């Protein structure tokens, strides 16, 4: 039996690059709307998203792994980063809130294969409301790996913050700082506490391997020093930081999975940009889309109503729906991927089945099929005309409504399916995550993705 191995760097980076280049080529092209060139309002609405799409490709090419530190005030986020760097680069202090905004520091590990950018953030409980949420979303979006720093028992606020960060679908390590102050605390007890909190909400957060114990700045201890004259003096001895375990864990993850993390983050960033572009396009072109849907619904209803041949009704209905979907795709400038194609076919089939049922009911109620013979019977008995017209009107109404349903479904699936298909960002993300071994930190994303 062959064991599952981590996908090669070249294959992961190559897949991500191909996906991002395809997305950028499509969405940045002025020809993507075919017969509907984008207006100034639409161009302005998606400008930032196009910039983020280009930024995703640039991030992949720069190959700098971003590791961000989150936590409440006084948990030692800045101190942990300083200890990892081996020097006091970030300001620290006893007063809460020394870090007022996110700060970045580049670091090239002496034995590492990747360059790291540490991002220090303000305490999550010292920024009010939406400002805090926006800061956390933006930093977590940029991050390839998240360090969540705690010290002591995990509070409800910290647990809720962990839940929110988990929704970002990024690998996360829980860093238990100041462990020197809690000699009886160990990874097992922390994990049990997390498990208890998780059981309350049915959302497991971390495995024991994702919890790391550190003492970034151990408390000084008082020692007795014997002097030459035989007397003793008490002094405070400052102990070295205890972050080797965390440093080894980070380097192990990044050396083994860093390029995959980088690729996934770039793809996530691109996926969000694509989803925003698709949503804004659908919203801003709602009136034109509604006009197209109603136009095809009326044409389909009219043809079905006057056509006497049942089989032709179904053929015309399918052709009309497919042509309408293609017209909507041209309007939005969104690709028709396999994701939406399958779901749209299901909707079309349901619509045609409704029309077929209507045809059968007509045959039973009127005693004859809606075929060419029905036309002949109209001349022999003009009274049949009223029945025929009523049946045609009913069938036309059903056909028109079915086309309208297909059109509205097409709007949803065109918007949601834009990131799937060959080399679509969602497809490539799924493929990369599926390839990683079970012990990989990325494997956790299989459940969350």
């Amino acid at each position: 039996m062959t064991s599952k191995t981590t996908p090669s760097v070249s294959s992961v980076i190559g897949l991500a690059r191909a996906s991002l280049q395809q997305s950028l080529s499509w969405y940045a092209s002025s020809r993507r709307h075919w017969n509907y060139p984008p207006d100034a309002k639409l161009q302005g609405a998606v400008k930032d998203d196009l910039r983020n799409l280009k930024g995703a490709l640039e991030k992949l090419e720069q190959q700098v792994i971003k590791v961000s530190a989150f936590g409440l005030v006084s948990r030692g986020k800045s101190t942990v980063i300083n200890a990892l760097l081996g020097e006091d680069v970030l300001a620290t202090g006893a007063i809460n809130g020394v870090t007022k905004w996110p700060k970045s520091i580049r670091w090239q590990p002496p034995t590492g294969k990747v360059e790291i950018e540490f991002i220090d953030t303000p305490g999550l409980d010292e920024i009010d409301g939406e400002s805090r949420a926006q800061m956390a979303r933006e930093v977590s979006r940029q991050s390839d790996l998240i360090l969540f720093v705690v010290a002591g028992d995990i509070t409800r606020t910290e647990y809720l913050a962990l839940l929110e960060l988990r929704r970002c679908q990024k690998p996360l390590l829980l860093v238990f700082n100041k462990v020197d102050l809690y000699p009886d605390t160990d990874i097992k007890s922390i994990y049990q506490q997390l498990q208890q909190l998780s059981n309350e909400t049915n959302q497991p957060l971390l495995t024991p391997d994702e919890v790391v114990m550190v003492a970034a700045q151990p408390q000084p201890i008082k020692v007795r020093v014997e002097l030459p004259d035989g007397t003793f003096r008490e002094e405070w001895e400052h102990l070295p930081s205890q972050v080797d375990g965390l440093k080894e864990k980070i380097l192990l993850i990044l050396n083994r999975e860093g390029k995959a993390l980088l690729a996934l983050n770039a793809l996530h960033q691109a996926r969000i940009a694509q989803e925003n572009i698709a949503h804004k396009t659908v919203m801003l072109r709602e009136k034109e889309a509604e006009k197209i849907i109603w136009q095809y619904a009326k044409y389909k209803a009219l043809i079905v109503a006057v056509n006497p041949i049942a089989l032709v009704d179904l053929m015309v209905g399918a052709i009309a729906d497919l042509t309408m979907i293609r017209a909507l795709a041209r309007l939005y400038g969104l690709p028709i991927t396999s994701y939406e194609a399958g779901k749209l076919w299901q909707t079309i089939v349901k619509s045609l089945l409704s029309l077929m049922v209507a045809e059968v009911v007509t045959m039973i109620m009127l005693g004859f099929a809606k075929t060419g013979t029905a036309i002949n019977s109209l001349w022999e008995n003009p009274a049949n005309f009223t029945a025929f017209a009523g049946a045609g009107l009913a069938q036309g109404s059903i056909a028109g409504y079915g086309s309208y349903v297909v059109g509205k479904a097409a709007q949803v699936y065109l918007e949601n399916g834009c990131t799937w298909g060959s080399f679509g960002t969602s497809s490539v993300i799924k493929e990369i995550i599926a390839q990683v071994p079970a012990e990989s930190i990325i494997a956790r994303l299989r459940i969350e993705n």
Side-chain angles (χ1 to χ4, degrees):
M1 180 182 295
T2 59
S3 60
K4 199 171 191 180
T5 58
T6 304
S8 68
V9 170
S10 59
S11 67
V12 167
I13 296 297
L15 271 175
R17 183 181 290 112
S19 175
L20 296 177
Q21 288 174 340
Q22 174 181 276
S23 299
L24 190 57
S25 174
W26 178 271
Y27 289 100
S29 172
S30 60
R31 299 180 61 189
R32 76 179 179 94
H33 293 267
W34 298 7
N35 299 327
Y36 301 90
D39 53 45
K41 187 175 182 180
L42 179 57
Q43 287 178 323
V46 302
K47 181 175 62 177
D48 289 341
D49 299 305
L50 285 173
R51 188 182 299 116
N52 289 336
L53 194 55
K54 294 176 183 176
L57 183 57
E58 292 170 359
K59 173 181 175 59
L60 189 67
E61 301 300 347
Q62 290 171 356
Q63 299 191 10
V64 177
I65 307 296
K66 295 189 176 184
V67 180
S68 60
F70 286 93
L72 306 190
V73 295
S74 299
R75 297 315 192 254
K77 299 181 296 297
S78 302
T79 308
V80 167
I81 293 178
N82 283 340
L84 290 170
L85 295 172
E87 55 182 318
D88 293 335
V89 177
L90 297 169
T92 60
I95 301 175
N96 290 348
V98 173
T99 303
K100 297 298 183 182
W101 54 81
K103 298 178 183 178
S104 299
I105 305 97
R106 290 283 182 98
W107 180 49
Q108 180 67 60
T111 59
K113 301 177 183 177
V114 295
E115 185 175 1
I116 298 174
E117 179 179 334
F118 285 109
I119 303 176
D120 188 24
T121 65
L124 290 173
D125 51 344
E126 66 176 333
I127 307 176
D128 293 331
E130 185 56 30
S131 297
R132 174 184 62 189
Q134 182 60 35
M135 180 274 295
R137 281 194 296 266
E138 179 60 25
V139 174
S140 61
R141 182 185 66 81
Q142 298 175 15
S143 304
D144 301 295
L145 176 66
I146 293 174
L147 307 179
F148 192 85
V149 182
V150 300
D153 291 336
I154 297 170
T155 66
R156 174 65 58 174
T157 301
E158 286 172 318
Y159 177 67
L160 295 177
L162 269 171
L163 278 180
E164 188 65 30
L165 288 171
R166 269 302 189 196
R167 294 189 186 102
C168 299
Q169 296 185 330
K170 298 295 177 69
L172 185 148
L173 294 177
L174 181 74
V175 180
F176 190 96
N177 190 26
K178 305 182 182 180
V179 69
D180 56 306
L181 301 180
Y182 302 89
D184 297 327
T185 304
D186 56 19
I187 292 179
K188 184 177 179 181
S189 64
I190 298 172
Y191 182 65
Q192 288 174 343
Q193 183 193 6
L194 280 171
Q195 194 65 43
Q196 183 177 357
L197 288 168
S198 299
N199 291 338
E200 295 177 14
T201 57
N202 272 334
Q203 296 191 52
L205 285 178
L206 298 158
T207 65
D209 286 341
E210 294 173 303
V211 181
V212 186
M213 316 292 281
V214 303
Q217 192 176 52
Q219 290 293 311
I221 59 174
K222 188 178 290 187
V223 296
R224 293 181 65 196
V225 179
E226 184 176 359
L227 301 178
D229 61 2
T231 61
F232 291 89
R233 183 180 67 195
E234 289 187 339
E235 294 181 356
W236 289 100
E237 180 179 343
H238 293 274
L239 302 175
S241 60
Q242 302 171 24
V243 295
D244 288 346
L246 176 61
K247 184 181 293 187
E248 290 173 5
K249 173 78 75 173
I250 292 174
L251 292 178
L252 174 64
I253 291 171
L254 299 189
N255 288 334
R256 184 182 62 192
E257 311 170 41
K259 296 300 175 71
L261 289 173
L262 187 67
L264 287 172
N265 193 25
L267 288 166
H268 276 297
Q269 182 177 330
R271 181 168 66 178
I272 292 172
Q274 287 176 264
E275 290 172 346
N276 287 339
I277 291 172
H279 178 70
K280 292 172 183 177
T281 302
V282 170
M283 293 295 293
L284 290 174
R285 296 208 151 163
E286 175 66 24
K287 289 184 179 178
E288 295 98 318
E290 196 73 9
K291 183 178 178 180
I292 289 173
I293 293 172
W294 275 115
Q295 183 181 36
Y296 278 91
K298 287 187 290 185
Y299 288 159
K300 180 178 172 181
L302 179 61
I303 294 172
V304 169
V306 300
N307 172 62
I309 304 174
L311 182 60
V312 173
D313 286 347
L314 299 180
M315 292 176 59
V316 168
I319 293 172
D321 289 342
L322 290 172
T323 307
M324 174 181 60
I325 292 168
R326 191 167 181 80
L328 288 172
R330 288 200 303 268
L331 170 67
Y332 295 141
L334 298 174
I336 302 177
T337 64
S338 57
Y339 170 86
E340 69 243 16
K343 296 201 176 266
L344 283 173
W345 264 116
Q346 293 177 22
T347 307
I348 291 172
V349 168
K350 289 178 182 178
S351 173
L352 295 178
L353 285 175
S354 299
L355 183 57
M356 187 182 297
V357 170
E359 299 275 3
V360 173
V361 170
T362 299
M363 288 190 295
I364 295 174
M365 292 181 62
L366 300 182
F368 58 80
K370 188 187 168 193
T371 64
T373 57
I375 296 293
N376 295 329
S377 70
L378 297 181
W379 301 106
E380 299 171 0
N381 184 7
N384 287 336
F385 182 82
T386 302
F388 181 85
L393 180 62
Q395 292 174 8
S397 299
I398 292 172
Y401 176 74
S403 190
Y404 182 80
V405 170
V406 170
K408 301 305 288 185
Q411 289 180 293
V412 174
Y413 295 134
L414 282 169
E415 179 181 345
N416 294 343
C418 64
T419 63
W420 293 91
S422 179
F423 286 106
T425 49
S426 292
S427 301
V428 176
I429 287 172
K430 185 176 181 180
E431 183 175 348
I432 292 174
I433 292 176
Q435 292 181 41
V436 299
E439 66 272 14
S440 166
I441 196 170
I442 297 175
R444 175 62 186 259
L445 301 181
R446 290 176 185 159
I447 302 174
E448 302 168 2
N449 201 45

